[in-house]
Amino acid sequence: MLIRKQTGIEIPSSEITPEHIYFSRRAFMTGAAAAAGAAALAACAPKTDLSGAGSVSRTDLPAATPAVIAGQTDELGDPLTSFEDVTNYNNFYEFSTSKEAVAGKAADFPTSPWQVAVTGMARNPGVFSIEDLRARFDQEERIYRMRCVEGWSMVIPWLGFPLAALLKEVEPAADARYVRFETVYDPDNMPGQNSPFFRWPYVEGLRLDEAMNDLTLLSTGLYGKELLPQNGAPLRLVVPWKYGFKGIKSIVKIELTDEMPESLWMAAAPNEYGFYANVNPEVSHPRWSQATERRIGEGGRRPTLPFNGYGEQVAALYAGMDLAANF
Ligand code: MTE
């Protein structure tokens, strides 16, 4: 099942394209005049509420035509970043440190078969194939902003399922406090992993309550299609209130632990990248301000929002904490 849902966020109904229109447009787009029609339909999309939204089985999905949802926005009214930019301007150091080169270098990265081990302090640990995960957990579409620590941002329509659903399945032990994530280690296919400058594989971590927050997504796709290698196929993390580097790609291991994980970036530059990495316009990176950002596809810069605009959903997780010290 693919369920269209914007969890915990009040979205003005005028900003939403109902799923039946979204998918019927997609079905229509498989016809002959696809490209021209997509632009016209997106521009004239009727703006109605979600009441007509149903659900569509994955197998019913017509071939994806990303341009057809270009008329959609996030809950703040900002348009989606183009599919072109989302899939061609990437940070994925395992392939290249040049954002424009990642897609080409990752194109042939093998993502099948793929297994994810969910291990550590859990009562019911397990190893899941990617097919297993897709079948077991309802795939939802979530439109999230992504704010990179470097000062640029995008709005991305992800497909995926809440990390909490998987964690509930494996039943964290009572003393588990953190979740540690690991990217696959495959230096033959990921040339960047031969670089001595980083401690491979890429590692990230969340506190267990952050991991259980409903916004935290394990993504299997974007723009209605399965993830491409450059975006972290077949499974990547999306934590929209944190800087983009927390969104670890091509995950093979998820471990419940009682120790705060040390991420690749914490190990590489502890004074620049902390464990929390919550988007915070008031706490500068040592080498640049975080007060503003460049939205890819737009001119100029816009103010950065605390918690990337998701404060209502997540600020309570940090009540009483010094967010400058815990950066
Ligand atoms: N995950 C791995 N394994 N390796 C990386 O280099 N880069 C991170 C994050 N996840 C990275 C990663 C950074 S810095 C960002 S901003 C996002 O991925 C970028 O995601 P995108 O390329 O899908 O936009």
Side-chain angles (χ1 to χ4, degrees):
M1 298 266 284
L2 184 139
I3 298 172
R4 182 159 160 66
K5 183 176 157 195
Q6 297 266 347
T7 312
I9 301 174
E10 289 302 317
I11 305 166
S13 59
S14 61
E15 306 296 355
I16 303 289
T17 304
E19 188 181 55
H20 63 281
I21 294 171
Y22 167 60
F23 285 111
S24 60
R25 270 191 272 150
R26 290 159 64 96
F28 168 80
M29 294 320 306
T30 56
L41 271 173
C44 314
K47 298 195 170 184
T48 42
D49 64 29
L50 266 177
S51 55
S55 62
V56 177
S57 145
R58 279 191 72 81
T59 51
D60 295 338
L61 290 180
T65 310
V68 295
I69 56 174
Q72 286 193 23
T73 67
D74 67 5
E75 84 284 5
L76 303 180
D78 287 319
L80 305 185
T81 303
S82 73
F83 179 79
E84 200 55 25
D85 282 338
V86 173
T87 56
N88 285 286
Y89 187 81
N90 301 104
N91 272 335
F92 203 165
Y93 276 31
E94 284 86 336
F95 294 102
S96 175
T97 52
S98 156
K99 294 181 205 344
E100 289 81 7
V102 169
K105 293 198 171 170
D108 297 327
F109 181 65
T111 58
S112 176
W114 195 274
Q115 294 194 316
V116 182
V118 190
T119 66
M121 302 174 78
R123 282 185 280 273
N124 187 26
V127 177
F128 301 82
S129 71
I130 191 69
E131 292 78 15
D132 224 6
L133 292 174
R134 285 210 189 92
R136 209 181 275 241
F137 303 108
D138 289 342
Q139 307 291 301
E140 303 171 10
E141 180 178 272
R142 305 250 188 126
I143 297 175
Y144 284 160
R145 292 170 290 288
M146 182 177 74
R147 167 60 156 86
C148 178
V149 74
E150 298 163 342
W152 52 268
S153 61
M154 297 187 179
V155 180
I156 303 176
W158 298 103
L159 288 175
F161 58 92
L163 172 60
L166 175 59
L167 293 179
K168 280 178 197 152
E169 188 106 345
V170 302
E171 299 175 36
D175 39 3
R177 300 263 328 277
Y178 297 94
V179 187
R180 182 180 179 280
F181 304 84
E182 232 178 78
T183 292
V184 68
Y185 183 66
D186 184 2
D188 289 344
N189 289 303
M190 292 177 147
Q193 288 183 335
N194 295 301
S195 158
F197 295 113
F198 293 104
R199 190 187 63 191
W200 305 106
Y202 198 100
V203 166
E204 261 307 338
L206 293 174
R207 234 171 42 194
L208 184 56
D209 57 347
E210 297 176 322
M212 296 299 287
N213 186 280
D214 191 50
L215 289 180
T216 306
L217 201 69
L218 280 174
S219 171
T220 55
L222 56 79
Y223 261 103
K225 298 171 128 182
E226 285 185 9
L227 280 181
L228 292 169
Q230 61 265 38
N231 295 109
L235 191 74
R236 64 92 57 84
L237 183 68
V238 183
V239 197
W241 71 96
K242 294 180 178 283
Y243 291 118
F245 68 82
K246 299 295 286 185
I248 181 172
K249 297 176 171 182
S250 305
I251 297 168
V252 288
K253 189 172 171 192
I254 300 176
E255 183 185 1
L256 287 143
T257 168
D258 55 0
E259 277 180 33
M260 180 183 280
E262 186 184 49
S263 70
L264 173 140
W265 288 109
M266 289 163 72
N271 58 325
E272 300 193 4
Y273 306 105
F275 173 78
Y276 283 96
N278 292 319
V279 175
N280 191 338
E282 286 170 15
V283 176
S284 296
H285 184 279
R287 290 183 279 132
W288 59 86
S289 163
Q290 295 290 24
T292 64
E293 66 200 56
R294 179 172 62 95
R295 179 65 50 84
I296 300 301
E298 275 182 11
R301 297 185 73 83
R302 53 165 65 213
T304 285
L305 302 174
F307 298 109
N308 204 20
Y310 300 97
E312 214 173 290
Q313 289 80 31
V314 300
L317 292 170
Y318 311 102
M321 273 177 66
D322 176 348
L323 296 178
N326 295 283
F327 62 94

